[in-house]
Amino acid sequence: MKLSSLITDNVTELLVKIIEFTQTRQKLLARNISNSHSPSFTPQDLAIDEFSELLNKAIHEYIRRQQLVLCDTENIKFGISGSFEVKPVVDRYAKELLEKSRDEYLELQINKLLENSLNQKIAVELLRQKQGMISIFD
């Protein structure tokens, strides 16, 4: 099921964006782990702070004007029909850590996956409650 087909209001749209963002990030973090043995590999992540700031501005604007405004940023672009695209960025800290200690690097990636999974589960549960307990992963 395409998540954007669930959008019925502004809150739902934000929750769907969070779920899509965390799904994309999960794949990227898993790739960071699986490619960590490649000699020329450079770890990537999504622009978390940029996404968070974007959502905060959208919520603030919604509170002020009752209108959800999602603006493009350098790494996040919004398209038609609720779609959006996120561009991975180089994770410089992870890259330095990978060069220094593979174990610490893997621990960082696993912790990011755990945090991301929690964020995704919260958004999914809020969306389920909002949509009347439907399952979005069928």
Side-chain angles (χ1 to χ4, degrees):
M1 169 182 275
K2 188 169 178 165
L3 288 176
S4 60
S5 68
L6 296 174
I7 296 174
T8 57
D9 59 46
N10 292 318
V11 173
T12 302
E13 184 172 0
L14 288 178
L15 291 171
V16 167
K17 297 284 185 258
I18 292 167
I19 293 167
E20 290 174 337
F21 184 87
T22 56
Q23 287 174 338
T24 302
R25 187 171 186 232
Q26 179 179 357
K27 292 174 190 170
L28 191 59
L29 294 172
R31 195 174 324 133
N32 284 349
I33 291 171
S34 65
N35 291 328
S36 66
H37 292 290
S38 299
S40 62
F41 175 70
T42 300
Q44 295 181 319
D45 202 344
L46 297 183
I48 309 249
D49 292 338
E50 192 174 311
F51 183 70
S52 177
E53 185 177 321
L54 186 149
L55 290 184
N56 284 336
K57 285 180 180 179
I59 291 168
H60 179 72
E61 191 65 24
Y62 177 75
I63 291 169
R64 280 186 37 200
R65 300 181 188 193
Q66 298 299 304
Q67 182 179 10
L68 186 64
V69 178
L70 297 167
C71 299
D72 291 349
T73 64
E74 181 180 347
N75 299 299
I76 303 167
K77 308 288 183 209
F78 294 92
I80 57 172
S81 302
S83 68
F84 81 113
E85 182 181 322
V86 290
K87 181 176 92 175
V89 296
V90 172
D91 187 340
R92 296 186 194 289
Y93 175 71
K95 183 177 181 181
E96 290 173 13
L97 200 55
L98 179 58
E99 293 167 0
K100 180 182 134 190
S101 168
R102 186 172 314 281
D103 289 343
E104 289 180 35
Y105 167 81
L106 290 173
E107 184 177 340
L108 173 69
Q109 296 302 310
I110 290 168
N111 286 336
K112 286 182 176 190
L113 274 170
L114 291 171
E115 175 193 14
N116 189 69
S117 178
L118 179 60
N119 290 335
Q120 186 177 70
K121 285 180 182 183
I122 290 168
V124 166
E125 184 56 34
L126 289 170
L127 184 61
R128 279 188 183 141
Q129 289 181 18
K130 181 130 183 53
Q131 295 293 320
M133 302 302 286
I134 65 167
S135 176
I136 63 171
F137 296 111
D138 289 341

